[in-house]
Structures are given as structure tokens and as C-alpha cells.
Amino acid sequence: MEVWRKDEIYTIRDIYALPDGERAELIDGTIYYMAPPSKTHQRITGKLYQTIANYIDGKGGGCEIYAAPFAVFLNKDDLNYVEPDISVICDASKLDESGCHGAPDWVIEVVSPSSKPRDYMTKLFKYRTAGVREYWIVDPEKRRIMVYGFENNVVEQYDFGEEVPVGIYGGFFIRVEG
């Protein structure tokens, strides 16, 4: 999708003023419109959500999982608003009815053709500097998962079908299928 090409800096107020049904993210004052997700994107996101939610529920964990659209206000400003495909938040004080205020512990983005540069570069930087502990980029086209463990400065790559260890949960592995 296209970025609004104006010299103006946009705020969260502009995101909330978008017409109903129009989704966008705001990164450093720039609005990025989001295309509707594909069937493959939704299938992968749904399976990941289900697997993670079952794990959290089974362990009686204190973390909560949310799927997009779910507002994440990364910084204490009004210039950044993202909707990760999956957010896991372990600090309940960051949550209120409007979303998550601060960095989720774990973020997963499933790459769409229109979101590649944002997911691989812009959001990677934003999530790291905001304090996200673990960031996964799931790329259906390349059939791979990039795992960024920011706490330990670890970057690992896995292919679909391999077991991927979850850094924030020792002993938990997820197999992503395409």
C-alpha cells in the first residue's frame, strides 16, 4: 500500500479519524495503509494464535495474546501506533481497553507483499528500540521464520516445518506450516 505523501506529520488522532474499515499504522508520524490480509496470511496467523493461546492457557500463564487488529502504542508519544499480527504481553499494567501501552514481550508479523520493507526493516528497528523481547517475521513466500531475540542479541532463521524455539518460554517450540 502507499504511504501518504505529505510533508505533514501525522498523529494517532489521524489514525482514529480514518473511515470505518480502513486500517493503517503510524510509524514516526508517517501513515502506512494496510491491505486486507490474504487467506494464507490469515491461516498462518490463526494457527499461530491458537498454538500460543493453548500453550499459555495450559501453563496457567500470566501473559495475554492478542491478534490484529489490536492497538499497540510503542512509545510515549502520539506518533507511533502499530497493529502486529500477534502480540503477547506479560505485563498486565501495559493493557487497557484501548490496547497495549509500551512494548509487547513477543511480536509476530506475517509478511504480506505490501508490508515486507516495513516488517523487515522499519518495524524491526522500532520493536527493538521500544523494548520488545522477541520478534518473529514469518514469510510465507520464502517459507521461513526470522527470529530476533533482542534480549540476547540472537538472530536465527528457520524454514517452515522446522520446530522454532520460543525464546520467552523455555521448552516451547512451534512448527509453522505454509
Side-chain angles (χ1 to χ4, degrees), residues 38 40-41 44 110-114 116 120 137-145 159-160 178:
S38 69
T40 298
H41 180 282
I44 290 170
V110 178
V111 174
S112 298
S114 64
K116 274 188 184 200
Y120 277 104
I137 301 173
V138 178
D139 192 328
E141 185 178 296
K142 294 181 179 178
R143 298 186 52 79
R144 84 169 175 217
I145 304 99
D159 292 323
F160 279 24

Short mmCIF file of all heavy atoms in Angstrom, two decimals, residues 38 40-41 44 110-114 116 120 137-145 159-160 178:
data_model
loop_
_atom_site.label_atom_id
_atom_site.label_comp_id
_atom_site.label_asym_id
_atom_site.label_seq_id
_atom_site.Cartn_x
_atom_site.Cartn_y
_atom_site.Cartn_z
N SER A 38 -4.32 -11.83 3.12
CA SER A 38 -4.67 -12.94 2.25
C SER A 38 -5.16 -14.14 3.06
O SER A 38 -5.00 -14.18 4.28
CB SER A 38 -3.46 -13.36 1.41
OG SER A 38 -2.48 -13.96 2.26
N THR A 40 -3.81 -17.13 3.02
CA THR A 40 -2.62 -17.76 3.61
C THR A 40 -2.18 -17.01 4.87
O THR A 40 -1.87 -17.63 5.89
CB THR A 40 -1.47 -17.80 2.58
OG1 THR A 40 -1.89 -18.59 1.46
CG2 THR A 40 -0.20 -18.38 3.18
N HIS A 41 -2.15 -15.70 4.79
CA HIS A 41 -1.78 -14.87 5.94
C HIS A 41 -2.69 -15.17 7.12
O HIS A 41 -2.23 -15.40 8.25
CB HIS A 41 -1.88 -13.40 5.54
CG HIS A 41 -1.51 -12.44 6.62
ND1 HIS A 41 -2.36 -12.11 7.66
CD2 HIS A 41 -0.39 -11.71 6.81
CE1 HIS A 41 -1.78 -11.24 8.44
NE2 HIS A 41 -0.58 -10.97 7.95
N ILE A 44 -2.10 -18.80 8.60
CA ILE A 44 -0.88 -18.88 9.40
C ILE A 44 -1.06 -18.14 10.73
O ILE A 44 -0.73 -18.67 11.80
CB ILE A 44 0.33 -18.33 8.62
CG1 ILE A 44 0.68 -19.28 7.47
CG2 ILE A 44 1.54 -18.14 9.54
CD1 ILE A 44 1.69 -18.72 6.49
N VAL A 110 3.34 -11.57 10.14
CA VAL A 110 3.30 -12.44 8.98
C VAL A 110 3.37 -11.52 7.77
O VAL A 110 2.51 -10.66 7.57
CB VAL A 110 2.02 -13.31 8.95
CG1 VAL A 110 1.98 -14.17 7.70
CG2 VAL A 110 1.94 -14.18 10.21
N VAL A 111 4.43 -11.68 6.99
CA VAL A 111 4.73 -10.76 5.90
C VAL A 111 3.71 -10.89 4.78
O VAL A 111 3.36 -11.98 4.35
CB VAL A 111 6.15 -11.05 5.36
CG1 VAL A 111 6.44 -10.21 4.13
CG2 VAL A 111 7.18 -10.81 6.42
N SER A 112 3.27 -9.73 4.32
CA SER A 112 2.46 -9.62 3.11
C SER A 112 3.32 -8.90 2.07
O SER A 112 4.25 -8.18 2.44
CB SER A 112 1.20 -8.80 3.38
OG SER A 112 0.40 -9.42 4.35
N PRO A 113 3.02 -9.08 0.78
CA PRO A 113 3.85 -8.39 -0.22
C PRO A 113 3.96 -6.89 0.02
O PRO A 113 5.04 -6.31 -0.13
CB PRO A 113 3.13 -8.68 -1.55
CG PRO A 113 2.44 -9.99 -1.30
CD PRO A 113 2.02 -9.95 0.15
N SER A 114 2.89 -6.25 0.46
CA SER A 114 2.93 -4.80 0.67
C SER A 114 3.63 -4.39 1.96
O SER A 114 3.97 -3.23 2.14
CB SER A 114 1.51 -4.23 0.65
OG SER A 114 0.77 -4.75 1.73
N LYS A 116 6.48 -6.00 3.35
CA LYS A 116 7.86 -6.51 3.51
C LYS A 116 8.86 -5.48 4.02
O LYS A 116 9.54 -5.73 5.01
CB LYS A 116 8.35 -7.12 2.20
CG LYS A 116 7.96 -8.55 2.05
CD LYS A 116 8.63 -9.18 0.86
CE LYS A 116 8.06 -10.58 0.77
NZ LYS A 116 8.85 -11.47 0.01
N TYR A 120 10.54 -6.09 7.72
CA TYR A 120 11.94 -6.47 7.78
C TYR A 120 12.87 -5.36 8.24
O TYR A 120 13.97 -5.64 8.73
CB TYR A 120 12.42 -6.98 6.41
CG TYR A 120 12.10 -8.43 6.14
CD1 TYR A 120 11.06 -8.78 5.29
CD2 TYR A 120 12.84 -9.44 6.73
CE1 TYR A 120 10.77 -10.11 5.02
CE2 TYR A 120 12.55 -10.78 6.48
CZ TYR A 120 11.52 -11.11 5.62
OH TYR A 120 11.24 -12.42 5.36
N ILE A 137 9.46 -12.74 12.27
CA ILE A 137 8.96 -12.38 10.95
C ILE A 137 8.70 -13.69 10.22
O ILE A 137 9.62 -14.45 9.94
CB ILE A 137 9.96 -11.52 10.16
CG1 ILE A 137 10.29 -10.24 10.91
CG2 ILE A 137 9.41 -11.22 8.76
CD1 ILE A 137 11.41 -9.41 10.26
N VAL A 138 7.43 -13.95 9.95
CA VAL A 138 7.02 -15.17 9.26
C VAL A 138 6.77 -14.79 7.80
O VAL A 138 5.89 -13.97 7.52
CB VAL A 138 5.76 -15.79 9.90
CG1 VAL A 138 5.33 -17.04 9.15
CG2 VAL A 138 6.02 -16.09 11.38
N ASP A 139 7.54 -15.38 6.89
CA ASP A 139 7.46 -15.01 5.48
C ASP A 139 6.92 -16.19 4.67
O ASP A 139 7.68 -17.12 4.35
CB ASP A 139 8.83 -14.59 4.98
CG ASP A 139 8.80 -13.93 3.62
OD1 ASP A 139 7.94 -14.29 2.79
OD2 ASP A 139 9.65 -13.05 3.38
N PRO A 140 5.62 -16.18 4.32
CA PRO A 140 5.03 -17.30 3.57
C PRO A 140 5.66 -17.50 2.19
O PRO A 140 5.78 -18.64 1.73
CB PRO A 140 3.55 -16.92 3.44
CG PRO A 140 3.30 -15.92 4.50
CD PRO A 140 4.60 -15.19 4.69
N GLU A 141 6.05 -16.42 1.54
CA GLU A 141 6.64 -16.53 0.21
C GLU A 141 8.00 -17.24 0.26
O GLU A 141 8.29 -18.11 -0.55
CB GLU A 141 6.80 -15.14 -0.40
CG GLU A 141 7.30 -15.15 -1.83
CD GLU A 141 7.40 -13.74 -2.38
OE1 GLU A 141 6.34 -13.07 -2.49
OE2 GLU A 141 8.53 -13.30 -2.68
N LYS A 142 8.83 -16.88 1.23
CA LYS A 142 10.14 -17.51 1.38
C LYS A 142 10.09 -18.78 2.22
O LYS A 142 11.09 -19.49 2.32
CB LYS A 142 11.12 -16.52 2.02
CG LYS A 142 11.42 -15.33 1.13
CD LYS A 142 12.40 -14.39 1.78
CE LYS A 142 12.69 -13.24 0.85
NZ LYS A 142 13.61 -12.27 1.44
N ARG A 143 8.92 -19.02 2.85
CA ARG A 143 8.72 -20.19 3.70
C ARG A 143 9.77 -20.26 4.81
O ARG A 143 10.39 -21.28 5.05
CB ARG A 143 8.67 -21.48 2.88
CG ARG A 143 7.52 -21.49 1.88
CD ARG A 143 7.34 -22.79 1.15
NE ARG A 143 7.27 -23.96 2.00
CZ ARG A 143 6.19 -24.35 2.69
NH1 ARG A 143 5.08 -23.66 2.63
NH2 ARG A 143 6.23 -25.44 3.44
N ARG A 144 9.95 -19.11 5.46
CA ARG A 144 10.94 -19.04 6.53
C ARG A 144 10.46 -18.13 7.65
O ARG A 144 9.60 -17.28 7.46
CB ARG A 144 12.29 -18.62 6.03
CG ARG A 144 12.48 -17.16 5.90
CD ARG A 144 13.92 -16.77 5.66
NE ARG A 144 13.91 -15.35 5.44
CZ ARG A 144 14.68 -14.72 4.59
NH1 ARG A 144 15.58 -15.38 3.89
NH2 ARG A 144 14.58 -13.42 4.46
N ILE A 145 11.07 -18.34 8.81
CA ILE A 145 10.78 -17.54 10.00
C ILE A 145 12.10 -16.95 10.48
O ILE A 145 13.07 -17.69 10.72
CB ILE A 145 10.17 -18.40 11.14
CG1 ILE A 145 8.91 -19.11 10.67
CG2 ILE A 145 9.85 -17.54 12.36
CD1 ILE A 145 9.15 -20.53 10.29
N ASP A 159 13.18 -22.70 8.61
CA ASP A 159 12.30 -22.97 7.48
C ASP A 159 10.96 -23.47 7.99
O ASP A 159 10.87 -24.05 9.09
CB ASP A 159 12.92 -24.03 6.56
CG ASP A 159 14.17 -23.53 5.86
OD1 ASP A 159 14.22 -22.34 5.49
OD2 ASP A 159 15.11 -24.34 5.69
N PHE A 160 9.91 -23.25 7.20
CA PHE A 160 8.61 -23.81 7.54
C PHE A 160 8.78 -25.32 7.74
O PHE A 160 9.54 -25.97 7.03
CB PHE A 160 7.59 -23.56 6.42
CG PHE A 160 6.98 -22.18 6.45
CD1 PHE A 160 7.61 -21.10 7.03
CD2 PHE A 160 5.75 -21.98 5.86
CE1 PHE A 160 7.02 -19.84 7.05
CE2 PHE A 160 5.15 -20.73 5.86
CZ PHE A 160 5.79 -19.65 6.46
N GLY A 178 3.03 -23.86 5.97
CA GLY A 178 2.57 -22.87 4.99
C GLY A 178 1.21 -23.03 4.50
O GLY A 178 0.37 -23.72 4.61
#
